[in-house]
Amino acid sequence: MVNDYPYKGKCGPVDRWAYFACQCTSFVAWRINERLNIKFNNHYKGPNWGNANTWDEAARKTGVKVNKTPVPGCIAQTNKGGGGAGHVAWVTKVSGDKVTIEEYNYRNYRAYGTRTVPKSTFENYIHIKV
């Protein structure tokens, strides 16, 4: 786990994945591109993925698996937080009933952070490749 996000310190404008830089959605879109080698963007497979609170719906519309079972390399998603916009994070480790995640713009405003939390912290786990 390392903060190698290309927009760190350059927040605000729309990034190359059609999200606002330094938001959780931008960070996770970048992780999907870099770690899974998938050309993911805000219109992946057609629909607008939008804010984090609609990623689960967009995933289902496009046939991407959504469930309650996290694995490293999947996306943790919740409708809660983010001022009503929800939150997404990158799952790096699963141990028992805990997940370790990397994220942007949660506890650290427009900045990188990591947490280990109960699996139930997130409503869904989106499996774009894993």
Side-chain angles (χ1 to χ4, degrees), residues 31-38 73 75 90 128-130:
R31 277 283 189 252
I32 293 166
N33 278 271
E34 292 297 311
R35 300 281 172 88
L36 301 180
N37 200 28
I38 292 174
I75 296 103
W90 181 257
I128 291 191
K129 189 173 185 177
V130 294

Side-chain angles (χ1 to χ4, degrees), residues 17-19 25 28-29 32 40-66 75 77 85 88 126-128:
W17 309 286
Y19 288 105
T25 48
V28 172
I32 293 166
F40 181 88
N41 62 52
N42 198 1
H43 298 282
Y44 181 67
K45 294 188 175 183
N48 181 331
W49 284 58
N51 290 327
N53 63 346
T54 58
W55 277 40
D56 59 325
E57 295 156 16
R60 288 183 186 99
K61 284 180 190 173
T62 60
V64 172
K65 183 167 80 171
V66 178
I75 296 103
Q77 185 270 340
V88 288
I126 300 169
H127 302 265
I128 291 191

